[in-house]
């Protein structure tokens, strides 16, 4: 099993100094590179302090200048917010500037709140159509002159300038639904999936959908199957409680965004009290500790071996969950020094 890192520049409130957040994020990326992580992922989100990522390529170019080996991925570029020529060019420029380290992740987008601002009138549930039109166009532009006459974009012959340094850029699709797994296998893309806070059975479901899509495509392509979970490794009760408190705070903010409640002030979503939610049992601390990659080093190793046995090729360590910065580094160090050697 290989390991990857997903990390955001994040603030839970305006007391956090953005310069400190900036420095911390880069330090975590460098810790991951030193520890042998394969890829680091940057997201794309808009007008939200919990995920400050208006342009993932800008973030990755910054990281590229301060790293040497770790590969640099978008998780994910939201197709509906881009024009194909611009997306192809920005991605290719990152590949050039990083000496061929681009991992191109594309997806449909997460929050209706963002679509209401970035692409008014588009339902989040329909955005997969933009992603499925975008990806072949980007790949064609990377090859040379290409004319596009689609449902969402139309343009005369054009090309990506620059071209990617890699002959074939690895492409990843964020997938949960069967239709997306089917598309990803037809287009020969690797898979990024995120079971949120759901139990291991959700991971098994995603693997089943992947296997079915591979069989249906029947094109000889075998993707890398990467699975992301919020992660916190701890060796004392104080850090354990700190991690559980942090994830529950973040989940209350996620509920706000997924419901499109509109209660966001200056980029900070108000936390919806978890005790007020229907289905609030899914935020029970014991359940969260069981389902997420939380625990002592030995517990985390045991959980990861279960994912490995399922067929997960790469585990994405999701570091951003509102945890204080020092605790994030302690967790990363424990993971790097005490967990990863069990899989080398």
């Amino acid at each position: 099993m290989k390991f990857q890192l997903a990390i955001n520049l994040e603030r839970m409130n305006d007391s956090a100094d953005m310069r400190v957040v900036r420095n911390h994020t880069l330090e975590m990326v460098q810790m991951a590179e030193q520890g042998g992580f394969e890829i680091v992922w940057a997201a794309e989100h808009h007008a939200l302090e919990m995920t400050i990522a208006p342009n993932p390529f800008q973030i990755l170019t910054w990281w590229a200048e301060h790293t040497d080996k770790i590969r640099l991925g978008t998780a994910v570029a939201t197709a509906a917010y881009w024009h194909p020529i611009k997306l192809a060019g920005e991605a290719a420029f990152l590949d050039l500037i990083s000496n061929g380290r681009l991992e191109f992740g594309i997806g449909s987008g997460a929050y209706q709140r963002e679509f209401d601002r970035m692409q008014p009138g588009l339902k989040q549930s329909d955005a997969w159509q933009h992603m499925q039109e975008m990806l072949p166009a980007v790949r064609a532009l990377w090859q040379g002159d290409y004319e596009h006459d689609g449902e969402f974009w139309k343009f005369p012959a054009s090309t990506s300038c620059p071209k990617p340094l890699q002959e074939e850029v690895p492409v990843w699709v964020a997938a949960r639904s069967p239709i997306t797994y089917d598309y990803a296998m037809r287009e020969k893309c690797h898979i990024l999936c995120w079971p949120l806070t759901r139990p291991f059975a959700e991971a098994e479901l995603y693997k089943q959908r992947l296997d079915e899509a591979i069989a249906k495509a029947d094109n000889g392509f075998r993707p890398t199957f990467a699975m992301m979970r919020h992660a916190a490794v701890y060796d004392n009760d104080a850090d354990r409680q700190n991690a559980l408190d942090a994830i529950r705070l973040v989940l209350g903010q996620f509920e706000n965004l997924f419901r499109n409640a509109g209660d966001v002030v200056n980029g900070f979503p108000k936390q919806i009290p978890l005790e007020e939610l229907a289905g609030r049992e899914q935020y029970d601390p014991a359940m969260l500790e069981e389902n997420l990659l939380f625990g002592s080093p030995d517990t985390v190793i045991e959980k990861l071996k279960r994912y490995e046995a399922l067929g997960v090729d790469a585990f994405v360590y999701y570091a951003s969950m509102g945890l204080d910065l020092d605790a994030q580094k302690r967790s990363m160090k424990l993971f790097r020094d005490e967990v990863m050697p069990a899989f080398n």
Side-chain angles (χ1 to χ4, degrees):
M1 178 182 281
K2 295 183 178 179
F3 296 98
Q4 305 170 2
L5 172 67
I7 188 165
N8 307 320
L9 285 82
E10 66 171 359
R11 295 202 303 170
M12 297 298 104
N13 56 64
D14 60 9
S15 67
D17 186 326
M18 271 307 308
R19 292 166 297 184
V20 173
V21 172
R22 174 198 66 197
N23 295 344
H24 165 78
T25 307
L26 179 58
E27 288 165 8
M28 288 284 285
V29 171
Q30 291 170 327
M31 286 178 69
E33 179 175 64
Q34 292 160 9
F37 280 65
E38 176 193 24
I39 303 171
V40 60
W41 299 99
E44 177 182 3
H45 284 289
H46 300 277
L48 294 170
E49 291 274 359
M50 65 191 300
T51 314
I52 302 164
N55 185 329
F57 300 106
Q58 190 175 23
I59 295 171
L60 294 170
T61 300
W62 165 47
W63 292 345
E65 287 297 297
H66 297 280
T67 57
D68 298 309
K69 297 176 294 185
I70 198 165
R71 295 185 62 79
L72 307 156
T74 54
V76 291
T78 303
Y81 302 161
W82 292 82
H83 187 283
I85 297 172
K86 182 173 176 59
L87 182 56
E90 291 220 25
F93 185 80
L94 170 62
D95 199 51
L96 173 65
I97 208 74
S98 67
N99 289 318
R101 288 191 275 159
L102 169 65
E103 301 278 330
F104 183 71
I106 189 168
S108 300
Y111 308 130
Q112 185 61 47
R113 180 180 195 275
E114 287 186 323
F115 284 99
D116 291 344
R117 289 152 179 81
M118 300 297 293
Q119 194 65 270
L122 176 61
K123 292 183 179 179
Q124 186 276 339
S125 57
D126 293 333
W128 60 270
Q129 299 171 71
H130 288 70
M131 188 271 288
Q132 293 197 4
E133 182 177 327
M134 173 70 83
L135 178 56
V138 167
R139 278 176 154 168
L141 288 162
W142 284 340
Q143 295 303 311
D145 277 338
Y146 165 75
E147 179 180 346
H148 187 78
D149 184 14
E151 181 179 354
F152 305 112
W153 299 281
K154 300 179 189 298
F155 52 85
S158 185
T159 190
S160 172
C161 291
K163 302 292 190 297
L165 205 60
Q166 300 178 85
E167 288 188 14
E168 185 172 350
V169 174
V171 175
W172 299 72
V173 167
R176 292 181 65 194
S177 67
I179 191 172
T180 309
Y181 279 96
D182 289 346
Y183 177 80
M185 293 307 97
R186 288 198 307 270
E187 292 291 326
K188 298 184 177 181
C189 302
H190 304 293
I191 293 293
L192 283 165
C193 67
W194 183 22
L196 303 174
T197 62
R198 295 170 184 170
F200 188 77
E202 187 79 359
E204 293 175 314
L205 175 62
Y206 293 167
K207 182 59 166 61
Q208 176 186 336
R209 289 174 177 171
L210 174 60
D211 290 342
E212 290 170 353
I214 290 172
K216 191 181 299 184
D218 192 24
N219 58 10
F221 178 68
R222 289 296 180 268
T224 297
F225 182 44
M227 185 163 294
M228 182 170 77
R229 286 287 206 182
H230 283 104
V233 189
Y234 37 75
D235 57 7
N236 61 75
D237 288 339
D239 279 354
R240 171 182 176 272
Q241 191 60 51
N242 193 14
L244 291 170
D245 290 345
I247 191 62
R248 296 183 84 239
L249 173 65
V250 165
L251 291 173
Q253 294 183 333
F254 271 125
E255 280 290 340
N256 182 325
L257 295 172
F258 282 125
R259 292 171 175 222
N260 201 21
D263 198 358
V264 179
V265 178
N266 278 337
F268 295 104
K270 180 180 178 182
Q271 182 191 23
I272 295 179
L274 298 179
E275 61 272 12
E276 296 178 7
L277 295 174
R280 56 186 174 273
E281 64 278 358
Q282 63 183 307
Y283 303 110
D284 174 71
M287 183 279 299
L288 291 170
E289 189 170 29
E290 172 63 27
N291 292 353
L292 302 180
L293 198 75
F294 280 28
S296 68
D298 286 344
T299 298
V300 167
I301 289 170
E302 182 180 340
K303 288 181 178 181
L304 285 171
K305 286 186 175 178
R306 193 177 182 195
Y307 286 109
E308 187 177 46
L310 177 64
V312 173
D313 302 302
F315 185 86
V316 185
Y317 178 111
Y318 193 7
S320 299
M321 46 178 269
L323 197 60
D324 71 81
L325 306 187
D326 287 341
Q328 285 188 37
K329 288 177 182 172
R330 288 196 297 274
S331 173
M332 169 63 84
K333 189 173 187 307
L334 283 170
F335 187 84
R336 186 187 68 185
D337 296 347
E338 300 191 25
V339 174
M340 289 177 63
F343 298 87
N344 288 340

